[in-house]
């Protein structure tokens, strides 16, 4: 698979990056992307993760985004510092070897403690918006394994559930569409049926890449997710992955 070079954004990035580095070697960096920060500039421009690429590496060969996260999804984002690393990571994703684990706080409670959603998804237009819709034929294969980590109630007394999702494919909005498909839309995700607008309660909790030198990184929930977890009385496991002490020190 040929690497896809992303153009750097035109936004003026602040000096201090808004993210921490969860993992770093001479091939790859895994960032903890905050919610609300796009990975690359939209049509209107603005600040994005790519504005900090010069701080990650000054080498002309890279960096590149190895994959994407939605603007409102936080957590593990892999950046390739070299073209060879980009090709290796893309091949890992294409072969289904990358393990991507997400955490979501959803409305309601599933009928069982765990399950598998094996439902193809297709993009459908709805006025000026679009969404990924489960379909029986013509869609892209999409498979998500899930299990319940906690159940409780929010401040309004509504039932909520903490789900762990393992995405075995990497379709656009897969976690969001699949949670809605089991009747439990993610909090804040009005596009997929959530009652109330607000911050999206979805994060990329961890990623594992079985490369020659394996890569593993784990992110902690953002503040808005941690707040409702505390409210529901859930205990979040401590982050067991040692973070890099120096944030975004350039490589040459």
């Amino acid at each position: 698979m040929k690497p896809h070079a992303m153009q750097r954004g035109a936004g003026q990035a602040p000096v201090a990056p808004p993210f921490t580095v969860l993992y770093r070697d001479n091939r790859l960096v895994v960032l903890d992307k905050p919610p609300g920060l796009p990975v690359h500039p939209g049509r209107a421009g603005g600040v994005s993760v790519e504005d900090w690429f010069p701080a990650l590496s000054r080498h002309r060969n890279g960096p590149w985004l190895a994959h994407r996260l939605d603007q409102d999804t936080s957590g593990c984002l892999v950046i390739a510092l070299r073209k060879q690393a980009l090709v290796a990571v893309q091949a890992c994703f294409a072969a289904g070897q990358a393990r991507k684990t997400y955490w979501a706080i959803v409305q309601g409670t599933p009928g069982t403690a765990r399950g598998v959603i094996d439902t193809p998804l297709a993009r459908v237009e709805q006025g000026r918006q679009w969404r990924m819709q489960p379909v029986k034929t013509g869609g892209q294969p999409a498979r998500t394994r899930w299990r319940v980590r906690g159940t409780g109630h929010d401040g309004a007394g509504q039932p909520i559930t903490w789900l762990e999702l393992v995405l075995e494919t990497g379709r656009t909005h897969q976690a969001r569409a699949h949670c809605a498909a089991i009747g439990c839309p993610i909090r804040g995700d009005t596009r997929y049926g959530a009652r109330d607008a607000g911050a999206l309660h979805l994060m990329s909790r961890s990623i594992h890449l079985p490369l020659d030198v394996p890569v593993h990184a784990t992110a902690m929930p953002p503040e808005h997710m941690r707040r409702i977890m505390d409210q529901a009385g859930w205990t979040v496991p401590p982050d067991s992955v040692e973070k890099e002490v120096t944030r975004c020190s350039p490589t040459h």
Side-chain angles (χ1 to χ4, degrees):
M1 183 182 296
K2 293 182 179 180
H4 177 60
M6 307 295 298
Q7 294 182 352
R8 290 174 182 166
Q12 186 64 41
V15 174
F19 45 74
T20 55
V21 174
L22 301 172
Y23 176 93
R24 180 172 194 139
D25 60 23
N26 61 1
R27 310 160 299 160
L28 301 164
V29 170
V30 183
L31 306 179
D32 184 2
K33 188 188 84 65
L37 179 67
V39 295
H40 53 78
R43 294 178 181 177
V47 172
S48 71
V49 170
E50 290 187 352
D51 289 307
W52 281 274
F53 275 9
L56 297 175
S57 175
R58 294 174 182 169
H59 198 279
R60 68 175 183 272
N61 179 17
W64 290 276
L65 290 167
H67 64 125
R68 293 174 176 82
L69 289 179
D70 289 347
Q71 177 173 334
D72 295 324
T73 303
S74 69
C76 298
L77 178 69
V78 181
I79 309 294
L81 301 179
R82 299 290 185 270
K83 186 179 295 184
Q84 297 85 346
L86 177 64
V87 171
V89 173
Q90 288 180 331
C92 191
F93 278 116
Q97 296 172 339
R99 181 181 173 88
K100 298 170 288 181
T101 301
Y102 284 69
W103 280 357
I105 300 175
V106 301
Q107 293 178 187
T109 304
T112 60
R114 63 182 65 234
V116 177
I117 310 166
D118 197 351
T119 306
L121 298 172
R123 176 170 168 147
V124 296
E125 303 292 333
Q126 295 181 321
R128 295 185 177 182
Q129 268 203 336
W130 59 270
R131 57 179 284 165
M132 299 302 289
Q133 183 75 36
V135 293
K136 293 182 178 179
T137 60
Q140 293 181 309
R143 182 179 171 90
T144 303
R145 289 189 289 112
W146 61 269
R147 69 182 180 102
V148 173
R149 293 194 63 112
T151 58
H153 294 81
D154 62 16
Q158 296 292 331
I160 55 174
T161 303
W162 170 13
L163 291 183
E164 182 170 277
L165 311 164
V166 177
L167 275 57
E168 296 184 357
T169 52
R171 307 306 175 202
T172 301
H173 289 190
Q174 178 174 323
R176 298 167 63 179
H178 274 177
C179 285
I182 61 172
C184 295
I186 298 171
R187 285 179 61 90
D189 196 1
T190 53
R191 183 180 299 196
Y192 289 94
R195 283 187 303 269
D196 302 313
L200 184 69
H201 287 63
L202 176 67
M203 67 167 299
S204 174
R205 164 64 173 174
S206 66
I207 189 161
H208 176 72
L209 302 172
L211 303 173
D212 291 342
V213 177
V215 173
H216 182 77
T218 302
M220 294 297 286
E223 182 180 353
H224 68 279
M225 286 183 66
R226 182 175 289 278
R227 198 161 50 239
I228 197 167
M229 287 173 154
D230 290 341
Q231 190 177 79
W234 297 329
T235 301
V236 179
D239 185 1
S240 60
V241 178
E242 184 178 351
K243 292 183 176 63
E244 182 186 43
V245 176
T246 304
R247 293 172 53 151
C248 297
S249 57
T251 60
H252 301 275

